[in-house]
Amino acid sequence: GAGVSQSPSNKVTEKGKDVELRCDPISGHTALYWYRQSLGQGLEFLIYFQGNSAPDKSGLPSDRFSAERTGGSVSTLTIQRTQQEDSAVYLCASSHGGGGTEAFFGQGTRLTVV
Amino acid sequence: DAKTTQPTSMDCAEGRAANLPCNHSTISGNEYVYWYRQIHSQGPQYIIHGLKNNETNEMASLIITEDRKSSTLILPHATLRDTAVYYCIVPPSSARQLTFGSGTQLTVLP
């Protein structure tokens, strides 16, 4: 595709359930980022992948959050035992390199935990 | 890290130039200035970046002062669709991710 694709676009889940959010980055981009944005708030960094390097997980808020990037392409963000405070828009971005090079964002997944 | 300071909000009349300032007084010599914007309910969008020379693209111009301690993003003919939060970011050269601050809410008025 031409841009970063995220699925699903909307997800409603019950408290305590696990969810998986998917990100398809732009082909050839080595860097992939996950952010989340709560209603009316700024963007909160979650995790960063760059090529084959160990991911930077410094932004993950708890051990209920994890992410994988398979084959240097598609990434999945998993939230276990979801809580209401996990409700937010989860945004994925990719770029040719890290450190602030031009990043392209997807439209996000709106997660609502009820 | 080079901290950035932006006004919380600005208004601009449609068709006029929108000039969005950013202070980054602790910027280091090899750190770039990036601008992104986020239109309501959309993901952030890259606008422009620069090191020390002024830059222009189809979206905007970036003017960086000679001492590099501040910059201005210029939207030459603002339209209603330019209403968004504009983020000025100076990622450290060692950084691996973009850190977004609060940005400036630009409202273009008809």
Side-chain angles (χ1 to χ4, degrees), chain A residues 35-45 88-89 91, chain B residues 38 44 85 87 99-103:
Chain A
Y35 293 81
R36 75 174 175 181
Q37 189 168 33
S38 301
L39 187 64
Q41 302 298 310
L43 287 100
E44 176 188 3
F45 166 75
V89 176
L91 290 155
Chain B
Q38 188 174 23
V85 178
Y87 298 96
T99 301
F100 289 80
S102 301

Side-chain angles (χ1 to χ4, degrees), chain B residues 42-55:
Chain B
Q42 297 184 21
Q45 177 188 24
Y46 165 84
I47 302 173
I48 198 167
H49 74 281
L51 183 62
K52 56 183 179 181
N53 296 322
N54 297 338
E55 302 288 343

